[in-house]
Amino acid sequence: MGRRGLVLAGGGSRGAYQIGVWKAFRELDIEFSVITGSSVGALNGILMIQGDYQAAEELWLSLYTGDIVNFPDFPREVDYTRNGWEADVWIPFIRRAMASEGADFTPLEALMRRYVEEKKVRESGIAFGLVTVEYPSMKPLEVSLEEIPEGKLCDYLAASAACFPAFRSKEIDGSRFIDGGYHDNQPVNLAARLGAEEVLAVSLDGIGLEKKAKNRTMKVKIISSYWDLGPFLWFEPGLSRRNMKLGYLDAMKLYGRYEGWAYAFVPGSRSALTDDFGQKLVAFYEKSRVHSFEGKMGVLAAEKAAWFRIRRILSKKRGNLRENSEQFLAACEIAGEYLHVSPLEVYSTESFLQECAACWRKMEDTEEHPSGWQAIRSCLELFYRAEKTEELDGDFWQQAILTPEAMMTAAVLCFCGQ
């Protein structure tokens, strides 16, 4: 196996996700010879080289946006899930920051100097590099640890994280620098230059540019979240804790410790679905089809169209699924997403279906039913009718055409006793 490189993308507060990935690496005994990063990814890379996971976790679980910028009247805590918070807090901050050539982020630099041990990094034996961009020339700078003058590591980390125009540019030796995302937010090629022969990149779905690997033969794997990681400049412990858990679960799935795409399932869940949920579903389908198409070509056409829509949804969200077990698990995941099942737990087949049922009961019990409730209810009624008549009629398939995700959700609920 060649030298393994880790590439940590920029993405502001979403960087907590990478700390969760690191936790999985520690449990799996996975190490790297080369680490590169841009913006917050560069800082996380340094923390990983130092090897002090507890300190990194402490940092991320204590950070608020107000801790990293000096900005008048900036609130320490805001409920970013509240409708309208952007208009009240975020947009005014961006406008005022841009009007003053960016917010002062010297508190972030102070945190870097508190947590970064440059001597320890230089003695680690791990190759490191980061990306920043000279301003206003916009000339990119990809720099290795050896190319950074001693005592200047935190300066270059701050330069890579200077998210202009929200943050001010960073001055180093008379030159000004801004966020590395203006050149390459996920520096795979820098990792290759530093000797990496295979790369694992941890994406944060950031707003910066990303360069494709120049070496077409180099193996590049990417870990990224299916779920939205939140506003990229909003630091808040609860959001960080959530994103760390998502990163941990995604890394464990990549290395085969769990199954699933958006959710994490214990090994063997796909086969369990095939044996239980899948068999019930197939039996229902075959039984209800017996009289459905006698002289009813319109019903047959509607069924074909419905299956096309369902398969397209599955393919779009989960890729090319060849086995029934994969299709059943994907359908259950889509139902979970539709029902707002939490992605922060590890599920067995049974516990996931139970949680789907519990979330549905909660939706039913609320006075103001959430979006999607009526579509699921309509699909469930068609399932119940099909059970009585033993026939999948045109109404059933037409509803499946119109709301394929709701129909998959109703199928899951119907076969877990709802």
Side-chain angles (χ1 to χ4, degrees):
M1 183 171 60
R3 296 187 74 197
R4 183 187 290 128
L6 176 65
V7 176
L8 300 170
S13 58
R14 300 172 186 175
Y17 179 85
Q18 294 171 342
I19 302 302
V21 172
W22 180 20
K23 180 181 180 181
F25 290 160
R26 286 162 51 85
E27 292 185 15
L28 298 169
D29 292 324
I30 295 173
E31 298 180 346
F32 298 89
S33 305
V34 178
I35 297 179
T36 64
S38 180
S39 194
V40 73
L43 174 59
N44 281 338
I46 289 296
L47 297 175
M48 291 181 189
I49 290 173
Q50 292 177 184
D52 191 346
Y53 174 82
Q54 296 303 322
E57 186 180 68
E58 171 192 290
L59 171 62
W60 275 100
L61 293 181
S62 63
L63 271 183
Y64 290 88
T65 304
D67 295 328
I68 67 171
V69 291
N70 279 327
F71 207 71
D73 304 321
F74 195 87
R76 178 174 175 81
E77 299 183 41
V78 171
D79 180 7
Y80 73 93
T81 64
R82 175 180 60 84
N83 290 334
W85 83 275
E86 296 96 334
D88 295 341
V89 178
W90 190 241
I91 293 175
F93 163 69
I94 294 296
R95 286 175 176 169
R96 292 170 63 194
M98 292 176 67
S100 59
E101 296 186 354
D104 172 19
F105 68 107
T106 52
L108 174 59
E109 290 190 59
L111 281 171
M112 290 178 177
R113 298 184 190 283
R114 175 182 167 190
Y115 281 90
V116 172
E117 301 176 56
E118 184 170 340
K119 184 174 184 293
K120 188 174 183 180
V121 174
R122 292 187 182 276
E123 294 175 352
S124 68
I126 298 174
F128 173 77
L130 59 78
V131 182
T132 185
V133 174
E134 190 174 1
Y135 182 80
S137 69
M138 302 307 289
K139 179 182 177 181
L141 178 63
E142 295 185 352
V143 59
S144 68
L145 182 63
E146 288 72 20
E147 294 166 332
I148 297 174
E150 288 201 23
K152 295 279 189 178
L153 178 56
C154 284
D155 292 303
Y156 278 84
L157 288 172
S160 184
C163 188
F164 186 83
F167 293 172
R168 293 176 185 171
S169 59
K170 170 64 179 175
E171 184 174 330
I172 303 176
D173 299 330
S175 297
R176 296 166 66 195
F177 295 91
I178 58 176
D179 197 286
Y182 280 95
H183 169 62
D184 192 354
N185 203 45
Q186 193 166 283
V188 170
N189 292 308
L190 177 56
R193 178 166 76 82
L194 297 182
E197 297 171 83
E198 58 180 82
V199 162
L200 177 64
V202 186
S203 172
L204 299 177
D205 194 25
I207 61 175
L209 303 173
E210 293 184 3
K211 307 289 186 182
K212 292 183 179 180
K214 294 178 180 178
N215 183 353
R216 300 288 182 87
T217 62
M218 185 172 65
K219 296 180 180 178
V220 179
K221 290 183 178 180
I222 297 177
I223 296 179
S224 62
S225 177
Y226 177 86
W227 304 94
D228 184 359
L229 297 177
F232 78 99
L233 282 179
W234 194 255
F235 292 80
E236 190 272 329
L239 180 61
S240 294
R241 184 175 290 105
R242 169 189 179 273
N243 289 345
M244 288 167 64
K245 187 62 179 290
L246 290 174
Y248 171 80
L249 293 175
D250 283 343
M252 296 297 273
K253 284 186 284 186
L254 179 69
Y255 288 96
R257 296 306 190 269
Y258 299 130
E259 296 179 356
W261 297 273
Y263 293 92
F265 294 87
V266 296
S269 294
R270 285 189 300 179
S271 58
L273 275 173
T274 304
D275 293 340
D276 186 14
F277 172 77
Q279 288 184 8
K280 290 180 180 178
L281 187 62
V282 170
F284 168 81
Y285 174 67
E286 291 178 345
K287 182 179 181 181
S288 302
R289 257 179 124 242
V290 175
H291 305 295
S292 296
F293 304 122
E294 293 181 0
K296 301 176 184 177
M297 295 305 296
V299 176
L300 179 60
E303 185 201 9
K304 288 182 177 180
W307 280 119
F308 174 79
R309 287 271 286 154
I310 290 170
R311 291 190 180 102
R312 189 167 66 173
I313 291 289
L314 291 173
S315 176
K316 182 179 179 181
K317 292 202 169 187
R318 300 296 184 268
N320 186 22
L321 306 177
R322 297 181 179 179
E323 299 179 6
N324 285 341
S325 60
E326 293 178 321
Q327 294 175 11
F328 293 145
L329 186 61
C332 285
E333 281 204 347
I334 289 171
E337 186 177 354
Y338 216 67
L339 294 165
H340 307 293
V341 171
S342 171
L344 302 181
E345 305 295 332
V346 179
Y347 296 98
S348 65
T349 299
E350 182 179 0
S351 67
F352 188 78
L353 294 178
Q354 288 175 349
E355 187 62 22
C356 284
C359 287
W360 171 245
R361 288 193 295 270
K362 184 178 179 180
M363 290 174 72
E364 288 257 87
D365 291 341
T366 56
E367 291 185 6
E368 294 185 8
H369 298 301
S371 174
W373 172 83
Q374 186 57 59
I376 299 171
R377 168 53 58 191
S378 297
C379 292
L380 274 173
E381 289 173 355
L382 289 168
F383 266 107
Y384 300 149
R385 190 170 78 183
E387 282 184 315
K388 293 178 180 178
T389 63
E390 297 187 358
E391 183 178 358
L392 296 173
D393 58 19
D395 290 343
F396 182 96
W397 294 114
Q398 286 171 14
Q399 185 68 46
I401 293 170
L402 294 173
T403 59
E405 291 176 323
M407 187 59 79
M408 283 186 270
T409 302
V412 170
L413 292 171
C414 187
F415 295 103
C416 60
Q418 297 304 300

